[in-house]
């Protein structure tokens, strides 16, 4: 125990031994947990992490499940979301869907997932120690959640069940193909959409793909089977239907997906990087480029920038996703964005995935969201972009959409001036140069004021002709006088 006298004369007592013992115990627990997990750092390429409070506090509803919980983060918070009955039925369907036609014993799956527990725990930023989620409960959660996802999105049906087409499958079945609406038997369409929203769109509501792969491999008796090969067909059809992406990532890439949201994220990749002269670090004259922010759509329009929709390609060779923004001279070409109630949830969680995995996932979606959040942050901007066919929405009014865009990137860490993290930096700089040009601003003002209105244009031409006639008349008068 040590006594210290403060500057105000008060005597403060520091009880050193108990404090030191408390810190030793914390260190010992930390080393014990590290040894249990086989290292201090997660081994998974994509880490499943909670959304940071600064970002979550903007709108918590964007990150919380409302129908079903997947993974440990929401397992203990709301028992209603566990959906135990449905997950047990999914387990039964998986057990009955063995390739040999003979139902497998659940112990086979438990033993396999028990061997993956340590590796699966490393895929979460939160370690979930034995005092929070014991091994028994953790393995049980992985098995039930994995079966639930496979039944819904891999078309696994057990004995005595019916497929989505209505055909009987007495001996069990694992269907491979392009499902239009992946729903378990008895699900209605609204419930299916709720499942898709909760298990695909939410960054926290995930389990590692290695769990799905292991369950599928046991079920189909194929050690090389990958769940992503089957689920990717649904992801492609989902994003194509929403007109967000027509990309088809290579199979070698999709097999590296960490979870369902990451698999969806792989379909959002700019087709062509900006040219070298637009991505450089030096401005004309040798000065270093610095960017404050994007201008609004109306500000760009004021200096003569025109806006043009850039539809997605059928083959996905030039414009594969909504991220493929292009600047052609003074025309800013932007892929149309169809906005519904779930658009914000998807974009928020894709950014959350990138924020916690910048090395593996990059920052492309974040760069796009920053671009759109500053381009369309007022009702006038949304009205302009809607009139050009770039934004389409069914919400209440343009002001509501603008408010959503303005809040889209609150709490997000992003550097606009980073040429490696911002694939749109070159376009932003080119537009800023145009915005700072006085000649272009005056020219654009004249064009909008006099050439957009045909009557003003006719009046301007008439005035110019009258002025020219007056000048000619004056010249001839002077010449005749001489």
């Amino acid at each position: 125990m040590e006594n210290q006298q403060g500057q105000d004369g008060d005597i403060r007592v520091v009880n050193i031994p108990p404090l030191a013992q408390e810190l030793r115990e914390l260190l010992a627990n930390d080393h014990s947990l590290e040894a249990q997990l086989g290292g201090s750092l997660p081994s998974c390429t994509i880490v499943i992490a909670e959304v940071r409070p600064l970002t979550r506090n903007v709108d918590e509803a964007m990150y919380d499940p409302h129908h079903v919980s997947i993974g440990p983060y929401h397992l203990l918070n709301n028992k209603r979301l566990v959906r135990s009955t449905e997950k047990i039925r999914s387990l039964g369907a998986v057990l009955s869907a063995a390739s040999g036609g003979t139902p497998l014993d659940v112990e086979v799956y438990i033993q396999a997932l028990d061997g993956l527990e340590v590796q699966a725990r490393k895929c979460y930023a939160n370690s979930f120690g034995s005092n929070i989620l014991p091994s028994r409960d953790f393995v049980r959660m992985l098995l039930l959640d994995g079966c639930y996802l496979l039944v819904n999105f891999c078309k696994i049906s057990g004995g005595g069940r019916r497929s989505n087409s209505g055909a009987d499958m007495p001996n069990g079945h694992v269907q491979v193909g392009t499902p239009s609406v992946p729903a378990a038997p008895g699900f209605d369409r609204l419930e299916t959409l709720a499942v898709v929203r909760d298990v695909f769109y939410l960054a926290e509501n995930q389990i590692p793909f290695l769990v799905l792969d292991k369950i599928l491999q046991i079920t189909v008796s194929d050690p090389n089977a990958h769940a992503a090969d089957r689920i990717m067909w649904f992801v492609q059809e989902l994003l194509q239907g929403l007109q967000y992406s027509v990309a088809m990532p290579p199979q070698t890439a999709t097999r590296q997906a960490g979870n369902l949201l990451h698999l969806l994220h792989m379909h959002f990749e700019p087709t062509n990087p900006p040219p070298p002269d637009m991505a450089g670090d030096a401005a004309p004259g040798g000065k270093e480029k610095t960017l404050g922010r994007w201008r609004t759509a109306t500000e760009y329009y004021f200096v003569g920038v025109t806006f043009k929709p850039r539809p997605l390609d059928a083959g996905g060779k030039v414009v594969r996703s909504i991220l493929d923004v292009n600047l052609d001279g003074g025309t800013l070409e932007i892929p149309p964005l169809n906005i519904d109630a779930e658009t914000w949830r998807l974009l928020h969680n894709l950014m959350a995935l990138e924020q916690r995995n910048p090395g593996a996932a990059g920052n492309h979606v974040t760069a796009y969201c920053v671009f759109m959040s500053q381009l369309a942050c007022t009702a006038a901007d949304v009205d302009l972009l809607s009139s050009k066919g770039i934004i389409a929405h069914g919400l209440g009014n343009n002001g509501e959409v603008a408010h959503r865009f303005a809040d889209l990137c609150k709490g997000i860490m992003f550097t606009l001036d980073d040429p490696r993290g911002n694939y749109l930096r070159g376009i932003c700089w080119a537009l800023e140069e145009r915005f700072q040009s006085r000649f272009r601003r005056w020219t654009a003002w004249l064009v909008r004021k006099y050439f957009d209105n045909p009557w003003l244009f006719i009046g301007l031409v008439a005035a110019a002709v009258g002025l020219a006639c007056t000048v000619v008349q004056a010249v001839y008068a002077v010449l005749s006088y001489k």
Side-chain angles (χ1 to χ4, degrees), residues 176-187:
V176 181
T178 309
S180 56
V181 180
F187 275 28

Side-chain angles (χ1 to χ4, degrees), residues 72-213:
Y73 286 115
H74 299 278
L75 177 65
L76 305 176
N77 297 338
N78 193 333
K79 297 297 183 182
R80 179 184 62 83
L81 298 178
V82 175
R83 300 282 178 180
S84 298
T85 302
E86 296 169 18
K87 292 179 181 179
I88 291 295
R89 290 174 181 170
S90 299
L91 173 61
V94 170
L95 294 177
S96 301
S99 295
T102 303
L104 294 177
D105 193 275
V106 69
E107 290 185 2
V108 177
Y109 292 89
I110 295 176
Q111 184 176 3
L113 294 185
D114 181 60
L116 290 179
E117 180 195 356
V118 173
Q119 188 176 355
R121 284 184 183 269
K122 288 182 181 181
C123 295
Y124 293 94
N126 190 322
S127 58
F128 297 104
S130 58
N131 58 328
I132 300 176
L133 197 60
S135 296
R136 175 186 179 277
D137 296 339
F138 189 80
V139 171
R140 181 181 187 274
M141 173 204 70
L142 293 179
L143 178 58
L144 293 180
D145 289 355
C147 292
Y148 181 82
L149 295 178
L150 290 175
V151 166
N152 280 277
F153 297 100
C154 279
K155 296 266 190 153
I156 293 181
S157 298
R161 299 173 66 88
R162 302 178 70 85
S163 69
N164 288 350
S165 61
D168 291 322
M169 298 179 180
N171 296 323
H173 183 70
V174 180
Q175 182 174 343
V176 181
T178 309
S180 56
V181 180
F187 275 28
D188 58 27
R189 185 171 180 82
L190 291 179
E191 188 171 2
T192 299
L193 295 176
V195 173
V196 171
R197 175 197 63 203
D198 281 2
V199 304
F200 271 100
Y201 292 177
L202 303 184
E204 299 173 346
N205 213 41
Q206 302 289 332
I207 61 173
F209 245 119
L210 59 94
V211 175
L212 300 181
D213 288 343

Side-chain angles (χ1 to χ4, degrees), residues 218-291:
I218 296 174
T219 304
V220 300
S221 301
D222 182 3
N224 297 318
H226 293 274
D229 294 344
R230 292 159 168 80
I231 299 177
M232 65 177 288
W233 296 107
F234 169 74
V235 173
Q236 290 171 0
E237 187 168 318
L238 171 68
L239 295 178
Q240 289 177 14
L242 296 172
Q243 298 182 31
Y244 291 160
S245 173
V246 292
M248 297 186 66
Q251 188 179 60
T252 54
T254 56
R255 288 184 176 182
Q256 302 301 318
N259 53 60
L260 290 177
L261 179 63
H262 186 213
L263 179 64
L264 189 146
H265 178 273
M266 288 180 172
H267 292 72
F268 292 90
E269 186 82 15
T271 304
N272 298 313
D277 59 332
M278 296 183 66
D281 292 331
K287 297 181 181 179
E288 185 178 351
K289 293 182 179 181
T290 56
L291 294 170

